mmCIF file of all heavy atoms in Angstrom:
data_model
loop_
_atom_site.group_PDB
_atom_site.id
_atom_site.type_symbol
_atom_site.label_atom_id
_atom_site.label_comp_id
_atom_site.label_asym_id
_atom_site.label_seq_id
_atom_site.Cartn_x
_atom_site.Cartn_y
_atom_site.Cartn_z
ATOM 1 N N LEU E 188 3.124 -5.450 -0.994
ATOM 2 C CA LEU E 188 3.968 -4.562 -1.913
ATOM 3 C C LEU E 188 5.235 -5.315 -2.332
ATOM 4 O O LEU E 188 5.831 -6.057 -1.496
ATOM 5 C CB LEU E 188 4.351 -3.303 -1.222
ATOM 6 C CG LEU E 188 3.270 -2.188 -1.171
ATOM 7 C CD1 LEU E 188 3.672 -1.131 -0.221
ATOM 8 C CD2 LEU E 188 2.966 -1.623 -2.543
ATOM 9 N N ASN E 189 5.672 -5.047 -3.532
ATOM 10 C CA ASN E 189 7.044 -5.434 -3.970
ATOM 11 C C ASN E 189 8.093 -4.626 -3.190
ATOM 12 O O ASN E 189 7.758 -3.551 -2.662
ATOM 13 C CB ASN E 189 7.203 -5.261 -5.472
ATOM 14 C CG ASN E 189 6.504 -6.242 -6.307
ATOM 15 O OD1 ASN E 189 6.586 -7.391 -6.028
ATOM 16 N ND2 ASN E 189 5.720 -5.741 -7.252
ATOM 17 N N PRO E 190 9.354 -5.051 -3.145
ATOM 18 C CA PRO E 190 10.418 -4.177 -2.584
ATOM 19 C C PRO E 190 10.408 -2.850 -3.355
ATOM 20 O O PRO E 190 10.256 -2.809 -4.555
ATOM 21 C CB PRO E 190 11.694 -4.982 -2.832
ATOM 22 C CG PRO E 190 11.198 -6.439 -2.824
ATOM 23 C CD PRO E 190 9.830 -6.382 -3.501
ATOM 24 N N GLN E 191 10.530 -1.767 -2.583
ATOM 25 C CA GLN E 191 10.504 -0.418 -3.104
ATOM 26 C C GLN E 191 9.098 0.025 -3.476
ATOM 27 O O GLN E 191 8.921 1.086 -4.072
ATOM 28 C CB GLN E 191 11.510 -0.176 -4.230
ATOM 29 C CG GLN E 191 12.898 -0.465 -3.910
ATOM 30 C CD GLN E 191 13.364 0.391 -2.713
ATOM 31 O OE1 GLN E 191 13.274 1.534 -2.696
ATOM 32 N NE2 GLN E 191 13.892 -0.275 -1.686
ATOM 33 N N GLY E 192 8.128 -0.807 -3.146
ATOM 34 C CA GLY E 192 6.711 -0.442 -3.447
ATOM 35 C C GLY E 192 6.318 0.688 -2.545
ATOM 36 O O GLY E 192 6.872 1.010 -1.498
ATOM 37 N N VAL E 193 5.272 1.438 -3.023
ATOM 38 C CA VAL E 193 4.839 2.698 -2.421
ATOM 39 C C VAL E 193 3.425 2.558 -1.777
ATOM 40 O O VAL E 193 2.531 2.035 -2.390
ATOM 41 C CB VAL E 193 4.766 3.804 -3.467
ATOM 42 C CG1 VAL E 193 4.303 5.105 -2.876
ATOM 43 C CG2 VAL E 193 6.124 3.948 -4.163
ATOM 44 N N PHE E 194 3.285 3.030 -0.584
ATOM 45 C CA PHE E 194 2.072 3.051 0.198
ATOM 46 C C PHE E 194 1.712 4.567 0.350
ATOM 47 O O PHE E 194 2.491 5.278 0.853
ATOM 48 C CB PHE E 194 2.206 2.430 1.542
ATOM 49 C CG PHE E 194 1.032 2.493 2.492
ATOM 50 C CD1 PHE E 194 0.253 1.404 2.731
ATOM 51 C CD2 PHE E 194 0.694 3.668 3.106
ATOM 52 C CE1 PHE E 194 -0.857 1.421 3.605
ATOM 53 C CE2 PHE E 194 -0.394 3.735 4.000
ATOM 54 C CZ PHE E 194 -1.124 2.628 4.235
ATOM 55 N N VAL E 195 0.521 4.956 -0.128
ATOM 56 C CA VAL E 195 0.125 6.346 -0.002
ATOM 57 C C VAL E 195 -1.276 6.458 0.660
ATOM 58 O O VAL E 195 -2.123 5.586 0.348
ATOM 59 C CB VAL E 195 0.168 7.161 -1.335
ATOM 60 C CG1 VAL E 195 1.537 7.517 -1.674
ATOM 61 C CG2 VAL E 195 -0.539 6.391 -2.439
ATOM 62 N N THR E 196 -1.458 7.471 1.465
ATOM 63 C CA THR E 196 -2.770 7.728 2.067
ATOM 64 C C THR E 196 -2.827 9.213 2.450
ATOM 65 O O THR E 196 -1.807 9.876 2.599
ATOM 66 C CB THR E 196 -3.008 6.862 3.260
ATOM 67 O OG1 THR E 196 -4.344 7.033 3.752
ATOM 68 C CG2 THR E 196 -1.989 7.128 4.384
ATOM 69 N N TYR E 197 -4.046 9.654 2.576
ATOM 70 C CA TYR E 197 -4.257 11.085 3.035
ATOM 71 C C TYR E 197 -4.019 11.217 4.535
ATOM 72 O O TYR E 197 -3.805 12.340 4.994
ATOM 73 C CB TYR E 197 -5.666 11.501 2.655
ATOM 74 C CG TYR E 197 -6.680 10.658 3.374
ATOM 75 C CD1 TYR E 197 -7.177 10.973 4.694
ATOM 76 C CD2 TYR E 197 -7.246 9.514 2.760
ATOM 77 C CE1 TYR E 197 -8.050 10.168 5.348
ATOM 78 C CE2 TYR E 197 -8.139 8.699 3.442
ATOM 79 C CZ TYR E 197 -8.545 9.111 4.747
ATOM 80 O OH TYR E 197 -9.439 8.308 5.424
ATOM 81 N N SER E 198 -4.088 10.139 5.270
ATOM 82 C CA SER E 198 -3.909 10.256 6.710
ATOM 83 C C SER E 198 -2.454 10.475 7.098
ATOM 84 O O SER E 198 -1.516 10.013 6.352
ATOM 85 C CB SER E 198 -4.441 8.993 7.370
ATOM 86 O OG SER E 198 -4.294 9.082 8.764
ATOM 87 N N ALA E 199 -2.224 11.137 8.193
ATOM 88 C CA ALA E 199 -0.852 11.360 8.685
ATOM 89 C C ALA E 199 -0.767 11.274 10.187
ATOM 90 O O ALA E 199 -0.003 11.957 10.844
ATOM 91 C CB ALA E 199 -0.340 12.682 8.177
ATOM 92 N N THR E 200 -1.503 10.318 10.803
ATOM 93 C CA THR E 200 -1.467 10.230 12.247
ATOM 94 C C THR E 200 -0.179 9.612 12.703
ATOM 95 O O THR E 200 0.525 8.853 11.986
ATOM 96 C CB THR E 200 -2.634 9.286 12.742
ATOM 97 O OG1 THR E 200 -2.410 7.948 12.268
ATOM 98 C CG2 THR E 200 -3.969 9.810 12.210
ATOM 99 N N GLY E 201 0.198 9.941 13.929
ATOM 100 C CA GLY E 201 1.428 9.407 14.512
ATOM 101 C C GLY E 201 1.388 7.883 14.579
ATOM 102 O O GLY E 201 2.357 7.223 14.331
ATOM 103 N N GLN E 202 0.251 7.329 14.967
ATOM 104 C CA GLN E 202 0.144 5.864 15.083
ATOM 105 C C GLN E 202 0.327 5.166 13.772
ATOM 106 O O GLN E 202 0.950 4.146 13.662
ATOM 107 C CB GLN E 202 -1.209 5.552 15.657
ATOM 108 C CG GLN E 202 -1.354 4.010 15.958
ATOM 109 C CD GLN E 202 -0.296 3.578 17.022
ATOM 110 O OE1 GLN E 202 -0.224 4.099 18.098
ATOM 111 N NE2 GLN E 202 0.387 2.499 16.637
ATOM 112 N N LEU E 203 -0.250 5.803 12.705
ATOM 113 C CA LEU E 203 -0.060 5.235 11.341
ATOM 114 C C LEU E 203 1.420 5.173 11.006
ATOM 115 O O LEU E 203 1.920 4.147 10.461
ATOM 116 C CB LEU E 203 -0.844 5.976 10.333
ATOM 117 C CG LEU E 203 -0.598 5.600 8.867
ATOM 118 C CD1 LEU E 203 -0.996 4.192 8.585
ATOM 119 C CD2 LEU E 203 -1.315 6.583 7.936
ATOM 120 N N LYS E 204 2.104 6.248 11.206
ATOM 121 C CA LYS E 204 3.520 6.300 10.884
ATOM 122 C C LYS E 204 4.290 5.270 11.646
ATOM 123 O O LYS E 204 5.191 4.581 11.117
ATOM 124 C CB LYS E 204 4.079 7.742 11.168
ATOM 125 C CG LYS E 204 3.458 8.762 10.334
ATOM 126 C CD LYS E 204 3.976 10.158 10.711
ATOM 127 C CE LYS E 204 3.254 11.303 10.060
ATOM 128 N NZ LYS E 204 3.706 12.622 10.487
ATOM 129 N N ARG E 205 4.027 5.087 12.937
ATOM 130 C CA ARG E 205 4.718 4.109 13.753
ATOM 131 C C ARG E 205 4.354 2.673 13.253
ATOM 132 O O ARG E 205 5.284 1.845 13.201
ATOM 133 C CB ARG E 205 4.283 4.230 15.225
ATOM 134 C CG ARG E 205 4.848 5.524 15.914
ATOM 135 C CD ARG E 205 4.636 5.493 17.381
ATOM 136 N NE ARG E 205 3.158 5.631 17.738
ATOM 137 C CZ ARG E 205 2.531 6.825 17.855
ATOM 138 N NH1 ARG E 205 3.194 7.955 17.679
ATOM 139 N NH2 ARG E 205 1.290 6.873 18.173
ATOM 140 N N ASP E 206 3.132 2.502 12.854
ATOM 141 C CA ASP E 206 2.759 1.125 12.367
ATOM 142 C C ASP E 206 3.439 0.805 11.005
ATOM 143 O O ASP E 206 3.795 -0.325 10.769
ATOM 144 C CB ASP E 206 1.258 1.048 12.219
ATOM 145 C CG ASP E 206 0.563 0.887 13.578
ATOM 146 O OD1 ASP E 206 1.239 0.534 14.541
ATOM 147 O OD2 ASP E 206 -0.674 1.120 13.630
ATOM 148 N N LEU E 207 3.570 1.824 10.213
ATOM 149 C CA LEU E 207 4.225 1.628 8.896
ATOM 150 C C LEU E 207 5.745 1.276 9.118
ATOM 151 O O LEU E 207 6.272 0.392 8.401
ATOM 152 C CB LEU E 207 4.086 2.854 8.020
ATOM 153 C CG LEU E 207 2.702 3.102 7.436
ATOM 154 C CD1 LEU E 207 2.606 4.463 6.855
ATOM 155 C CD2 LEU E 207 2.435 2.031 6.338
ATOM 156 N N VAL E 208 6.362 1.987 10.021
ATOM 157 C CA VAL E 208 7.789 1.639 10.321
ATOM 158 C C VAL E 208 7.893 0.264 10.858
ATOM 159 O O VAL E 208 8.781 -0.562 10.431
ATOM 160 C CB VAL E 208 8.353 2.657 11.357
ATOM 161 C CG1 VAL E 208 9.720 2.192 11.826
ATOM 162 C CG2 VAL E 208 8.464 4.056 10.736
ATOM 163 N N LYS E 209 6.973 -0.109 11.757
ATOM 164 C CA LYS E 209 6.951 -1.470 12.293
ATOM 165 C C LYS E 209 6.737 -2.537 11.207
ATOM 166 O O LYS E 209 7.228 -3.690 11.301
ATOM 167 C CB LYS E 209 5.882 -1.578 13.340
ATOM 168 C CG LYS E 209 5.819 -2.933 14.144
ATOM 169 C CD LYS E 209 4.754 -2.846 15.189
ATOM 170 C CE LYS E 209 4.575 -4.166 15.904
ATOM 171 N NZ LYS E 209 3.497 -4.132 16.936
ATOM 172 N N ALA E 210 5.991 -2.166 10.171
ATOM 173 C CA ALA E 210 5.720 -3.130 9.096
ATOM 174 C C ALA E 210 6.819 -3.145 8.029
ATOM 175 O O ALA E 210 6.691 -3.779 6.976
ATOM 176 C CB ALA E 210 4.453 -2.667 8.425
ATOM 177 N N GLY E 211 7.957 -2.442 8.300
ATOM 178 C CA GLY E 211 9.089 -2.503 7.424
ATOM 179 C C GLY E 211 9.152 -1.464 6.337
ATOM 180 O O GLY E 211 9.770 -1.631 5.298
ATOM 181 N N MET E 212 8.508 -0.303 6.646
ATOM 182 C CA MET E 212 8.456 0.725 5.650
ATOM 183 C C MET E 212 9.247 1.970 6.021
ATOM 184 O O MET E 212 9.500 2.216 7.249
ATOM 185 C CB MET E 212 6.987 1.163 5.424
ATOM 186 C CG MET E 212 6.025 0.056 5.155
ATOM 187 S SD MET E 212 6.166 -0.661 3.491
ATOM 188 C CE MET E 212 5.436 0.638 2.496
ATOM 189 N N THR E 213 9.829 2.693 5.088
ATOM 190 C CA THR E 213 10.464 3.993 5.316
ATOM 191 C C THR E 213 9.390 5.093 5.078
ATOM 192 O O THR E 213 8.820 5.173 3.975
ATOM 193 C CB THR E 213 11.622 4.214 4.419
ATOM 194 O OG1 THR E 213 12.650 3.203 4.679
ATOM 195 C CG2 THR E 213 12.241 5.587 4.628
ATOM 196 N N VAL E 214 9.113 5.846 6.120
ATOM 197 C CA VAL E 214 7.921 6.766 6.080
ATOM 198 C C VAL E 214 8.399 8.204 5.654
ATOM 199 O O VAL E 214 9.375 8.709 6.242
ATOM 200 C CB VAL E 214 7.200 6.760 7.437
ATOM 201 C CG1 VAL E 214 6.069 7.733 7.438
ATOM 202 C CG2 VAL E 214 6.770 5.326 7.729
ATOM 203 N N GLU E 215 7.624 8.800 4.831
ATOM 204 C CA GLU E 215 7.814 10.202 4.497
ATOM 205 C C GLU E 215 6.506 11.016 4.850
ATOM 206 O O GLU E 215 5.402 10.524 4.485
ATOM 207 C CB GLU E 215 8.065 10.434 3.030
ATOM 208 C CG GLU E 215 9.268 9.700 2.476
ATOM 209 C CD GLU E 215 9.358 9.869 0.947
ATOM 210 O OE1 GLU E 215 9.939 10.903 0.526
ATOM 211 O OE2 GLU E 215 8.816 8.950 0.269
ATOM 212 N N THR E 216 6.629 12.103 5.493
ATOM 213 C CA THR E 216 5.519 12.993 5.717
ATOM 214 C C THR E 216 5.568 14.120 4.682
ATOM 215 O O THR E 216 6.545 14.899 4.686
ATOM 216 C CB THR E 216 5.547 13.564 7.173
ATOM 217 O OG1 THR E 216 5.519 12.512 8.079
ATOM 218 C CG2 THR E 216 4.344 14.471 7.378
ATOM 219 N N LEU E 217 4.578 14.195 3.852
ATOM 220 C CA LEU E 217 4.567 15.132 2.756
ATOM 221 C C LEU E 217 3.512 16.193 2.941
ATOM 222 O O LEU E 217 2.577 15.960 3.708
ATOM 223 C CB LEU E 217 4.267 14.379 1.373
ATOM 224 C CG LEU E 217 5.228 13.247 1.068
ATOM 225 C CD1 LEU E 217 4.727 12.569 -0.241
ATOM 226 C CD2 LEU E 217 6.668 13.692 0.890
ATOM 227 N N PRO E 218 3.641 17.322 2.263
ATOM 228 C CA PRO E 218 2.537 18.310 2.332
ATOM 229 C C PRO E 218 1.233 17.706 1.833
ATOM 230 O O PRO E 218 1.238 16.967 0.785
ATOM 231 C CB PRO E 218 3.024 19.428 1.397
ATOM 232 C CG PRO E 218 4.504 19.252 1.363
ATOM 233 C CD PRO E 218 4.755 17.810 1.462
ATOM 234 N N GLY E 219 0.163 17.998 2.511
ATOM 235 C CA GLY E 219 -1.128 17.444 2.130
ATOM 236 C C GLY E 219 -1.755 18.256 1.044
ATOM 237 O O GLY E 219 -1.235 19.281 0.610
ATOM 238 N N PRO E 220 -2.951 17.798 0.602
ATOM 239 C CA PRO E 220 -3.684 18.513 -0.409
ATOM 240 C C PRO E 220 -4.266 19.833 0.221
ATOM 241 O O PRO E 220 -4.215 19.957 1.474
ATOM 242 C CB PRO E 220 -4.818 17.528 -0.852
ATOM 243 C CG PRO E 220 -4.941 16.708 0.379
ATOM 244 C CD PRO E 220 -3.622 16.568 0.994
ATOM 245 N N PRO E 221 -4.909 20.685 -0.532
ATOM 246 C CA PRO E 221 -5.495 21.874 0.051
ATOM 247 C C PRO E 221 -6.393 21.547 1.206
ATOM 248 O O PRO E 221 -7.235 20.705 1.121
ATOM 249 C CB PRO E 221 -6.256 22.470 -1.126
ATOM 250 C CG PRO E 221 -5.472 22.080 -2.312
ATOM 251 C CD PRO E 221 -5.009 20.694 -1.993
ATOM 252 N N GLY E 222 -6.213 22.269 2.299
ATOM 253 C CA GLY E 222 -7.031 22.090 3.502
ATOM 254 C C GLY E 222 -6.498 21.022 4.451
ATOM 255 O O GLY E 222 -7.021 20.867 5.547
ATOM 256 N N LYS E 223 -5.398 20.349 4.088
ATOM 257 C CA LYS E 223 -4.799 19.362 4.975
ATOM 258 C C LYS E 223 -3.305 19.561 4.998
ATOM 259 O O LYS E 223 -2.634 19.620 3.952
ATOM 260 C CB LYS E 223 -5.161 17.980 4.438
ATOM 261 C CG LYS E 223 -4.734 16.868 5.444
ATOM 262 C CD LYS E 223 -5.331 15.546 5.028
ATOM 263 C CE LYS E 223 -4.889 14.392 5.977
ATOM 264 N NZ LYS E 223 -5.215 14.626 7.362
ATOM 265 N N LYS E 224 -2.731 19.662 6.171
ATOM 266 C CA LYS E 224 -1.356 20.008 6.333
ATOM 267 C C LYS E 224 -0.442 18.956 5.799
ATOM 268 O O LYS E 224 0.585 19.228 5.137
ATOM 269 C CB LYS E 224 -1.045 20.276 7.837
ATOM 270 C CG LYS E 224 0.351 20.742 8.090
ATOM 271 C CD LYS E 224 0.571 21.051 9.570
ATOM 272 C CE LYS E 224 2.007 21.424 9.832
ATOM 273 N NZ LYS E 224 2.280 21.716 11.290
ATOM 274 N N GLU E 225 -0.730 17.647 6.107
ATOM 275 C CA GLU E 225 0.224 16.573 5.791
ATOM 276 C C GLU E 225 -0.516 15.364 5.240
ATOM 277 O O GLU E 225 -1.705 15.150 5.389
ATOM 278 C CB GLU E 225 0.938 16.129 7.111
ATOM 279 C CG GLU E 225 1.798 17.200 7.676
ATOM 280 C CD GLU E 225 2.430 16.797 9.031
ATOM 281 O OE1 GLU E 225 1.900 15.836 9.685
ATOM 282 O OE2 GLU E 225 3.426 17.436 9.427
ATOM 283 N N MET E 226 0.256 14.533 4.615
ATOM 284 C CA MET E 226 -0.163 13.212 4.142
ATOM 285 C C MET E 226 1.063 12.244 4.309
ATOM 286 O O MET E 226 2.121 12.744 4.646
ATOM 287 C CB MET E 226 -0.604 13.245 2.643
ATOM 288 C CG MET E 226 0.480 13.673 1.721
ATOM 289 S SD MET E 226 0.229 13.182 -0.038
ATOM 290 C CE MET E 226 0.535 11.359 0.085
ATOM 291 N N VAL E 227 0.914 11.003 4.049
ATOM 292 C CA VAL E 227 1.945 10.047 4.268
ATOM 293 C C VAL E 227 2.218 9.214 2.984
ATOM 294 O O VAL E 227 1.263 8.789 2.306
ATOM 295 C CB VAL E 227 1.603 9.078 5.421
ATOM 296 C CG1 VAL E 227 2.450 7.775 5.343
ATOM 297 C CG2 VAL E 227 1.850 9.738 6.735
ATOM 298 N N ARG E 228 3.541 9.117 2.715
ATOM 299 C CA ARG E 228 3.953 8.142 1.698
ATOM 300 C C ARG E 228 5.010 7.247 2.362
ATOM 301 O O ARG E 228 5.870 7.769 3.106
ATOM 302 C CB ARG E 228 4.624 8.850 0.469
ATOM 303 C CG ARG E 228 5.144 7.899 -0.527
ATOM 304 C CD ARG E 228 5.521 8.627 -1.815
ATOM 305 N NE ARG E 228 6.656 9.522 -1.582
ATOM 306 C CZ ARG E 228 6.882 10.586 -2.350
ATOM 307 N NH1 ARG E 228 6.174 10.807 -3.496
ATOM 308 N NH2 ARG E 228 7.922 11.388 -2.143
ATOM 309 N N ALA E 229 4.939 5.974 2.151
ATOM 310 C CA ALA E 229 5.928 5.026 2.734
ATOM 311 C C ALA E 229 6.465 4.139 1.648
ATOM 312 O O ALA E 229 5.707 3.667 0.787
ATOM 313 C CB ALA E 229 5.299 4.251 3.909
ATOM 314 N N ILE E 230 7.749 3.796 1.724
ATOM 315 C CA ILE E 230 8.411 2.927 0.737
ATOM 316 C C ILE E 230 8.845 1.643 1.493
ATOM 317 O O ILE E 230 9.398 1.717 2.583
ATOM 318 C CB ILE E 230 9.706 3.694 0.187
ATOM 319 C CG1 ILE E 230 9.287 5.030 -0.306
ATOM 320 C CG2 ILE E 230 10.258 2.822 -0.964
ATOM 321 C CD1 ILE E 230 8.307 5.143 -1.352
ATOM 322 N N LYS E 231 8.577 0.526 0.786
ATOM 323 C CA LYS E 231 8.926 -0.756 1.338
ATOM 324 C C LYS E 231 10.428 -1.008 1.340
ATOM 325 O O LYS E 231 11.117 -0.853 0.304
ATOM 326 C CB LYS E 231 8.247 -1.885 0.664
ATOM 327 C CG LYS E 231 8.375 -3.217 1.361
ATOM 328 C CD LYS E 231 7.430 -4.270 0.859
ATOM 329 C CE LYS E 231 7.526 -5.549 1.610
ATOM 330 N NZ LYS E 231 6.489 -6.541 1.097
ATOM 331 N N ASN E 232 10.987 -1.398 2.455
ATOM 332 C CA ASN E 232 12.449 -1.584 2.548
ATOM 333 C C ASN E 232 12.804 -2.868 1.804
ATOM 334 O O ASN E 232 12.068 -3.754 1.668
ATOM 335 C CB ASN E 232 12.896 -1.610 4.014
ATOM 336 C CG ASN E 232 12.657 -0.348 4.671
ATOM 337 O OD1 ASN E 232 12.773 0.762 4.098
ATOM 338 N ND2 ASN E 232 12.281 -0.357 5.968
#
């Protein structure tokens, strides 16, 4: 990703969030689509 690039996925596991932070991303937990409580968006620092 370029700086400020966006990573999005339907998954919202705790391990994924920790790995994204470790990879230099700022993580957001967003409301998921119908039937799923959460999803993840992360922005590259």
Side-chain angles (χ1 to χ4, degrees):
L188 283 167
N189 286 311
Q191 301 304 305
V193 180
F194 175 108
V195 281
T196 185
Y197 62 86
S198 181
T200 67
Q202 186 61 55
L203 172 63
K204 296 175 190 178
R205 291 189 290 273
D206 285 344
L207 286 167
V208 171
K209 185 178 177 182
M212 309 288 285
T213 297
V214 177
E215 301 175 86
T216 302
L217 304 177
K223 188 169 179 58
K224 183 179 179 181
E225 297 175 340
M226 61 160 286
V227 160
R228 177 171 65 201
I230 311 298
K231 189 167 184 177
N232 297 326

